[in-house]
Amino acid sequence: MAAPGYSEKDKSEDVQVLHSMGYAQELERRMSQFSNFAVSFSIICILSGGINSLAQATSGAGGAAIGIGWPLGCFVSLVFAVAMAQISSAYPTAGGLYHWGSILGNRFTGWLTAWFNLLGLVTVLGAINVGTYYFFMGAFGTSYLGLEDTTTTRIIFLAIITGLQALVNHMGIGLTAKLTDFSGYLIFATAIALAVVCLAAADSYEVSRLFTFSNYSGEAGGNVWPTNSSMWVFLLGLLLPIYTITGYDASAHTSEETLKAAHSVPRAMIGSVLWSALFGYIMLCSFVLMLPSMDAAAAQGWNVFFWAMTEQVNPVVKDLLYLAIFVAQWLCGLATVTSVSRMIFAFSRDGGLPGSKALAKVSPTYRTPVAAIWTGSILSVLFVWGSSLVSIGETPVYTIVVACTVIFLFFSFTIPIALGLVAWGTSKWDKMGPFNLGEGVFKLFAVLSIIAMILIFVIGIQPPNDWALYITVGFLIVTGVVWFGFEARRFQGPPIGDQVAKRAAEIAAAERAVGETGH
């Protein structure tokens, strides 16, 4: 059944593009441009990162960390989205980044991009769901249910919510897209409701607060950041928007399930960043204006959101908002499972992972990569469990790895963008997609992305996350050993050139196996 406004010609063009890259249409095209936007918008989820990491701003440079820092950090994220949008229009495939890394570079750069992206996505799925757990505990778990925060409680909670996210994904992209569409509207509505409630509950409107630089590092900010200079504290606060606004690569990962992907994906990717930036700004500025006092809020450290809501907001209204935020955070994890599983599926269909044959299988019933969905979900829970049990000094390994997660994700964005900078106009990239910024604009954003990556890396390895440097370097060394020791000889990468034509029979067989007909 074709979607409204999606003709047989459109369908045939979408499939043609996929065949030209040597892949079968095994996944089902059910996602509109809005659905593709909603999947990225749901992973960004300003109600998840924007609330759970709020203390990075309020216990850092205070009001200015939101008023000035939020738009600045969002621009850093936007730079990557614009550059990736250009590439996603030319190469709309699942696991997008991995293909771009291979096509614009070589087998090694593709493989490296895939590993960074995969590691980032699996750990970010764990981190999102841990954030949801702590939000649930702060909102309902401790006060209403009398739960105590132990590793056992955390892992059981995580296993349940991640299991449900995997189950919905298992049941087909149709159901997942309906829920992520709903999530898109829910995030808009809840962010506005929260902003209105905050403004209504504010004692007075000190707008100057949003542009006042403070330094709450150390004791004054509940030790969220170690004592630091004012400039550093402001830069560290940029981690709030930069960490929140990531995951928009999901639009690329769901390319093969999106109608008119070469047109829809780039617009959805940029749109998800712009709308998240705008609504996040309105919501967070309103929150800062509601605070009874900036000094008292900073001293609360990580508890700032719950403290302020309890101090200022009617308890019934507060609980209703908490419920909406909790649902939005669960849906954020749901969309992340979609992203992780498509990445695992795409990398496996080119033999990039152990057990690739099984991981690349698409269920003929549900048209989803079932093994990839459950593998990604189980790995994320195991990661949280394992890393919660081990500490380096005082810091749990979990905290350190999550600091690396964003570095890994942005590395996986930067590799294909940097390769695109060099490959533009050569035989590797001589054909642009329908979304085309032109050489000058793309190259400008590509250079800005590389500068932004350096900035994120430098901020990301400052205390208390200084271990992130060693983990990142350690991971690079392990990656080198694995590549030169095993993969360089074995891993073929995606089909390029003559290999594409040779795959025609396999493509037809794969499409018949899942019941995809008629091109």
Side-chain angles (χ1 to χ4, degrees):
M1 188 185 79
Y6 185 60
S7 65
E8 279 302 321
K9 180 173 173 288
D10 295 331
K11 179 172 183 173
S12 139
E13 275 174 14
D14 276 338
V15 174
Q16 232 34 69
V17 170
L18 201 50
H19 285 182
S20 73
M21 288 191 272
Y23 295 115
Q25 179 70 58
E26 292 180 272
L27 303 170
E28 195 174 16
R29 285 198 193 262
R30 293 280 293 274
M31 295 175 78
S32 63
Q33 185 172 321
F34 180 79
S35 299
N36 187 281
F37 157 82
V39 85
S40 282
F41 188 65
S42 300
I43 294 183
I44 293 172
C45 191
I46 46 175
L47 300 172
S48 178
I51 287 171
N52 295 337
S53 308
L54 197 55
Q56 291 179 317
T58 51
S59 293
I66 300 287
I68 300 168
W70 178 268
L72 208 60
C74 290
F75 178 72
V76 171
S77 282
L78 178 68
V79 161
F80 290 94
V82 170
M84 280 159 55
Q86 172 78 37
I87 309 174
S88 72
S89 184
Y91 302 110
T93 65
L97 301 159
Y98 147 68
H99 288 117
W100 311 340
S102 309
I103 295 165
L104 302 174
N106 53 37
R107 288 182 310 140
F108 171 67
T109 51
W111 183 84
L112 188 66
T113 307
W115 273 107
F116 270 126
N117 195 234
L118 202 52
L119 210 72
L121 285 170
V122 169
T123 46
V124 92
L125 172 59
I128 285 167
N129 284 339
V130 167
T132 306
Y133 161 77
Y134 279 115
F135 182 83
F136 179 81
M137 291 298 278
F140 310 111
T142 316
S143 48
Y144 289 111
L145 304 172
L147 294 174
E148 272 185 56
D149 173 26
T150 62
T151 304
T152 313
T153 313
R154 186 162 61 233
I155 298 308
I156 290 171
F157 182 91
L158 229 63
I160 293 170
I161 66 167
T162 314
L164 287 169
Q165 289 160 348
L167 189 63
V168 170
N169 269 283
H170 182 135
M171 308 288 286
I173 193 66
L175 177 61
T176 307
K178 280 193 184 75
L179 283 171
T180 46
D181 285 0
F182 166 71
S183 160
Y185 293 117
L186 179 70
I187 294 169
F188 279 127
T190 310
I192 290 173
L194 183 60
V196 168
V197 166
C198 286
L199 291 173
D203 299 327
S204 63
Y205 297 137
E206 280 180 65
V207 178
S208 60
R209 222 183 240 186
L210 295 168
F211 308 100
T212 307
F213 285 87
S214 315
N215 185 343
Y216 293 119
S217 59
E219 285 293 313
N223 290 315
V224 168
W225 299 115
T227 308
N228 239 319
S229 70
S230 295
M231 187 193 83
W232 265 118
V233 163
F234 178 71
L235 286 173
L236 289 166
L238 294 178
L239 292 178
L240 167 68
I242 293 169
Y243 279 21
T244 301
I245 303 206
T246 179
Y248 38 83
D249 51 329
S251 286
H253 290 313
T254 48
S255 290
E256 291 176 29
E257 291 149 285
T258 301
L259 313 174
K260 301 188 194 173
H263 297 265
S264 305
V265 169
R267 290 176 175 82
M269 203 182 288
I270 295 173
S272 67
V273 173
L274 288 173
W275 285 108
S276 297
L278 175 66
F279 278 74
Y281 194 54
I282 294 167
M283 173 180 94
L284 293 172
C285 286
S286 310
F287 178 80
V288 170
L289 292 175
M290 172 183 81
L291 296 169
S293 115
M294 209 60 231
D295 294 353
Q300 287 295 320
W302 289 108
N303 193 37
V304 62
F305 181 75
F306 293 117
W307 168 80
M309 294 295 282
T310 306
E311 288 283 306
Q312 301 289 94
V313 177
N314 168 301
V316 179
V317 174
K318 180 187 76 173
D319 283 350
L320 285 171
L321 280 170
Y322 283 176
L323 187 62
I325 293 168
F326 173 65
V327 172
Q329 291 189 1
W330 182 80
L331 290 164
C332 167
L334 172 80
T336 309
V337 171
T338 310
S339 201
V340 177
S341 60
R342 296 328 185 250
M343 180 64 216
I344 294 175
F345 159 76
F347 196 28
S348 300
R349 94 185 141 178
D350 293 330
L353 288 170
S356 280
K357 262 206 159 38
L359 292 171
K361 249 191 123 41
V362 172
S363 152
T365 317
Y366 300 109
R367 298 290 294 274
T368 53
V370 169
I373 289 167
W374 288 100
T375 303
S377 304
I378 291 166
L379 283 175
S380 78
V381 177
L382 289 177
F383 150 67
V384 174
W385 183 40
S387 60
S388 302
L389 300 177
V390 187
S391 291
I392 298 178
E394 293 292 295
T395 320
V397 169
Y398 169 76
T399 318
I400 299 167
V401 176
V402 169
C404 300
T405 288
V406 179
I407 294 174
F408 288 163
L409 272 180
F410 279 109
F411 261 146
S412 76
F413 295 177
T414 310
I415 298 167
I417 292 172
L419 293 168
L421 184 62
V422 181
W424 182 289
T426 68
S427 59
K428 288 189 173 180
W429 193 14
D430 48 6
K431 199 164 144 281
M432 299 301 145
F435 177 89
N436 188 357
L437 300 162
E439 185 172 3
V441 177
F442 171 74
K443 289 192 167 174
L444 169 68
F445 277 90
V447 171
L448 287 173
S449 300
I450 296 166
I451 296 167
M453 180 67 244
I454 296 166
L455 173 76
I456 292 168
F457 186 68
V458 172
I459 305 175
I461 58 172
Q462 295 307 311
N465 301 326
D466 35 354
W467 276 95
L469 174 63
Y470 304 110
I471 289 199
T472 308
V473 171
F475 178 71
L476 279 168
I477 293 167
V478 171
T479 307
V481 170
V482 172
W483 175 257
F484 292 109
F486 307 98
E487 295 293 302
R489 289 185 299 280
R490 192 197 66 80
F491 178 64
Q492 294 303 308
I496 294 171
D498 304 339
Q499 297 162 314
V500 174
K502 288 180 189 157
R503 279 204 181 187
E506 287 171 46
I507 290 174
E511 289 180 354
R512 277 198 303 277
V514 294
E516 176 69 33
T517 52
H519 311 301

